[in-house]
Amino acid sequence: RHVADFQLSVASVTEDSSSNGLAQDLQLQAQKLAERLKCDAVVSEISAGPGTVNFTINKELLAKTVLQQVLKDGSEYGVKSELFSTVPRQKAVIEFSSPNIAKKFHIGHLRSTIVGNFIANLKVALGHEVTRINYLGDWGMQFGLLGVGFQCFGNKEKLKSSPLQHLFEVYVQINKAAEDENTKKLAKDFFRKLEEHDEQTLSLWKQFRDFSIEEYIRIYKRLGVHFDEYSGESFYQEKSQEVLKMLEDKGLLQKTIKGTGIVDLSEKKDLSSFSTVMRSDGTSLYITRQVSLSVDLAAAIDRMNKYSWDTMIYVTDKSQSNHFQHLFQILKLMGYNWAERCQHVSFGLVQGMKTRRGEVIFLEDVLNEVRSRMLQNMASTKTTKEIEDPVETAEKVGLAALIIQDFRGLLSSDYQFSWDRALQSRGDTGVFLQYTHARLHSLEQMHGNEHLTDINVACLQEPDAVSVLQHLLRYDEVLYRSSQDLQPKHIVSFLLTL
């Protein structure tokens, strides 16, 4: 039996749908309405169902319209939809990834990297101007320890060739010794010298930072990710002092008995909700993102001055939600109304991502693991064709697998990671998407993809063809939804259904 393309439920548009909505009445109303409506070039048939009016659309017109639009817009199909015509083009600043130098690049950073990159790509595709910022953990007492550690166990050559690995090893070694009072004192001295801009100390710190960034850039490239700016906590040390002074001048800064600086965020001003912006010894405070609020306040204000953005998005895991709520609240108290245009896109935690060698320490571990597992799968599959660069292919397909597994659900959900599930070639996986994409490409190559002018749409009337066309027609709505709530899952499920 023929299913209508669109249905209107009569009950949804009649006044008294609650009490007297008897089936016969609705049936009658539907019939009357159907008789009064006329078909046109788009609607080829109108009939009444049980309480509904059913519309069938002209399938040839559908095929023609969709295919012409696809051919005309090419890779910009969907993006040029009238849905977006009223959306103003904006400047967006997106802060994502943000690892800590000399510490593990944990899975939260991986999620932040791919989610932030998705949001940035989506905004760019929709014509917005995007600045991508990687806000590094590159300051604090840990650099006192690291500096001392490097003086004891460091190796200039290793620092150059594999900085992240080497600094991490040094950090682990010196942390073992950190119980020792003398080491503690040396670390404090080193960090004090850093804060006083002692040349030698600063030059060593700068090497840690520069070599690390070089290596990050190389690894991010494998992920297809780039940043416009590498900033970090170190940039805002002095500016954060200015922020504290501003808070003081505005009467927002209170000191506790211990000398800690706090800002009262409660409505009744009874300190039922407050935020700590400064430690009693004056150093920046370590909270969840290992940087004080005053430093983050300074960074936000600085970015506004520098980029005059319309929206600023922070992409981190949900354990930091409180931190950002406080950050935005304090900015507002300081009189910065643009704080309302700041947004925290948070995501859940991933469990169970381990490599064969054990726990993941660097982003590179994940990328190497996904590549080697994918290579193994390709080698053991009979249908794998001879390819020029199997390693490169394994990397690309493996990455798609990783990203699709991550993007299938709501970002805020925690999920259990499974290599086997991610890398399956059947089912709703990235591997399957890439495989389908490759097959479509080879069809294009075999049958030539020269530009068609006249399409005989009469051949595209069977139900399967029509449902593909209808699905393609909805692409702009899916893009629009993703652009509104910044969730990649709408696009992922659209592609998997397609």
Side-chain angles (χ1 to χ4, degrees):
R1 132 188 130 66
H2 168 71
V3 184
D5 296 308
F6 296 98
Q7 266 190 346
L8 172 75
S9 145
V10 177
S12 68
V13 289
T14 49
E15 306 274 294
D16 53 342
S17 55
S18 51
S19 51
N20 328 346
L22 296 171
Q24 298 111 300
D25 295 352
L26 287 174
Q27 180 76 27
L28 205 64
Q29 281 176 315
Q31 262 163 348
K32 276 188 180 159
L33 189 52
E35 279 160 21
R36 286 173 59 193
L37 294 168
K38 293 192 166 48
C39 293
D40 60 8
V42 179
V43 178
S44 58
E45 195 186 316
I46 302 171
S47 63
T52 59
V53 180
N54 302 333
F55 301 89
T56 306
I57 53 171
N58 176 341
K59 302 290 188 287
E60 294 204 2
L61 183 70
L62 170 76
K64 229 189 197 97
T65 312
V66 174
L67 293 174
Q68 272 171 351
Q69 200 65 45
V70 169
L71 288 170
K72 185 168 148 250
D73 293 346
S75 63
E76 290 192 307
Y77 176 70
V79 172
K80 288 188 160 177
S81 161
E82 59 195 304
L83 268 181
F84 296 105
S85 59
T86 56
V87 178
R89 301 279 175 262
Q90 291 191 319
K91 281 186 180 171
V93 167
I94 306 175
E95 181 201 293
F96 62 105
S97 199
S98 309
N100 295 307
I101 290 176
K103 292 194 173 176
K104 289 180 197 172
F105 187 104
H106 60 71
I107 301 308
H109 294 132
L110 172 68
R111 274 205 101 174
S112 172
T113 307
I114 58 182
V115 172
N117 192 48
F118 162 77
I119 295 171
N121 288 345
L122 180 63
K123 288 199 173 284
V124 168
L126 297 174
H128 302 291
E129 199 182 310
V130 173
T131 303
R132 305 155 188 250
I133 297 183
N134 199 345
Y135 187 67
L136 301 172
D138 62 357
W139 199 251
M141 261 319 285
Q142 80 229 45
F143 283 90
L145 263 179
L146 189 62
V148 174
F150 194 78
Q151 286 161 349
C152 302
F153 316 110
N155 174 316
K156 282 270 196 278
E157 286 311 302
K158 277 187 185 168
L159 178 65
K160 227 175 163 160
S161 61
S162 52
L164 300 178
Q165 175 88 29
H166 185 54
L167 289 175
F168 179 67
E169 285 164 0
V170 167
Y171 191 61
V172 170
Q173 274 179 294
I174 193 69
N175 254 326
K176 286 183 189 146
E179 295 309 304
D180 168 53
E181 284 310 312
N182 190 34
T183 309
K184 271 187 198 161
K185 187 185 161 313
L186 288 171
K188 268 208 171 99
D189 288 347
F190 189 95
F191 188 52
R192 199 195 66 246
K193 281 186 188 163
L194 258 189
E195 292 199 297
E196 289 165 0
H197 296 228
D198 168 69
E199 258 180 59
Q200 230 183 333
T201 319
L202 213 52
S203 129
L204 184 60
W205 168 83
K206 205 172 165 325
Q207 283 185 344
F208 294 163
R209 195 177 187 276
D210 293 350
F211 287 141
S212 297
I213 289 176
E214 263 174 54
E215 190 164 3
Y216 280 136
I217 289 172
R218 180 180 63 76
I219 299 167
Y220 285 129
K221 205 169 174 177
R222 285 177 66 180
L223 263 174
V225 171
H226 72 275
F227 292 92
D228 301 300
E229 180 186 301
Y230 280 81
S231 92
E233 301 156 20
S234 57
F235 282 75
Y236 298 108
Q237 292 315 307
E238 273 141 55
K239 287 199 170 111
S240 73
Q241 296 307 310
E242 291 165 31
V243 167
L244 289 169
K245 174 121 184 44
M246 281 162 78
L247 286 169
E248 211 163 356
D249 294 346
K250 285 190 165 37
L252 294 167
L253 189 68
Q254 301 184 23
K255 291 268 171 78
T256 64
I257 303 163
K258 288 183 185 156
T260 311
I262 59 172
V263 175
D264 188 356
L265 298 173
S266 62
E267 277 176 33
K268 295 181 181 156
K269 296 293 164 222
D270 57 3
L271 285 176
S272 56
S273 161
F274 66 88
S275 189
T276 309
V277 289
M278 184 182 82
R279 276 227 301 244
S280 54
D281 57 5
T283 60
S284 49
L285 173 89
Y286 285 78
I287 46 178
T288 43
R289 66 189 264 149
Q290 287 167 324
V291 50
S292 76
L293 263 165
S294 58
V295 174
D296 272 7
L297 290 164
I301 296 165
D302 181 57
R303 288 172 193 172
M304 189 60 184
N305 295 338
K306 193 168 167 189
Y307 297 111
S308 56
W309 45 260
D310 300 295
T311 172
M312 177 155 61
I313 298 169
Y314 297 85
V315 185
T316 72
D317 71 65
K318 58 187 180 189
S319 72
Q320 299 185 23
S321 297
N322 236 1
H323 173 84
F324 286 104
Q325 236 174 331
H326 286 181
L327 176 68
F328 305 157
Q329 270 177 293
I330 296 174
L331 283 167
K332 241 178 124 171
L333 286 174
M334 290 173 81
Y336 294 115
N337 287 335
W338 46 255
E340 290 172 4
R341 305 202 303 271
C342 293
Q343 193 181 354
H344 177 216
V345 173
S346 62
F347 50 80
L349 309 172
V350 186
Q351 273 93 29
M353 188 184 268
K354 287 210 171 12
T355 65
R356 292 200 175 96
R357 294 217 303 273
E359 67 167 331
V360 170
I361 297 177
F362 308 108
L363 173 58
E364 206 161 13
D365 297 334
V366 182
L367 300 184
N368 293 344
E369 185 80 11
V370 72
R371 185 171 64 190
S372 74
R373 282 181 188 254
M374 198 60 225
L375 262 175
Q376 213 175 2
N377 286 9
M378 281 159 52
S380 62
T381 311
K382 294 184 182 69
T383 53
T384 301
K385 293 195 172 78
E386 285 293 313
I387 28 188
E388 278 165 40
D389 190 345
V391 177
E392 176 73 354
T393 303
E395 171 126 328
K396 294 271 195 296
V397 178
L399 272 179
L402 206 62
I403 290 167
I404 295 298
Q405 161 126 315
D406 197 285
F407 284 2
R408 279 184 55 200
L410 264 173
L411 291 180
S412 56
S413 316
D414 302 342
Y415 75 93
Q416 191 67 36
F417 181 83
S418 147
W419 286 109
D420 293 339
R421 199 173 64 239
L423 298 173
Q424 274 169 2
S425 56
R426 298 239 167 280
D428 289 350
T429 64
V431 180
F432 179 68
L433 270 185
Q434 288 282 38
Y435 175 66
T436 311
H437 186 252
R439 285 184 59 186
L440 291 170
H441 254 300
S442 70
L443 278 171
E444 267 193 341
Q445 280 170 342
M446 271 160 52
H447 299 285
N449 51 357
E450 71 275 0
H451 208 73
L452 299 169
T453 40
D454 54 333
I455 304 160
N456 177 7
V457 289
C459 328
L460 292 174
Q461 300 307 298
E462 64 266 73
D464 283 350
V466 171
S467 62
V468 169
L469 288 161
Q470 283 175 329
H471 189 65
L472 286 172
L473 192 57
R474 291 190 195 105
Y475 180 54
D476 59 345
E477 293 173 33
V478 173
L479 273 181
Y480 187 76
R481 272 191 77 180
S482 273
S483 74
Q484 292 297 308
D485 65 7
L486 303 181
Q487 295 283 338
K489 73 181 183 104
H490 311 303
I491 296 176
V492 170
S493 69
F494 175 88
L495 291 175
L496 292 168
T497 307
L498 181 63

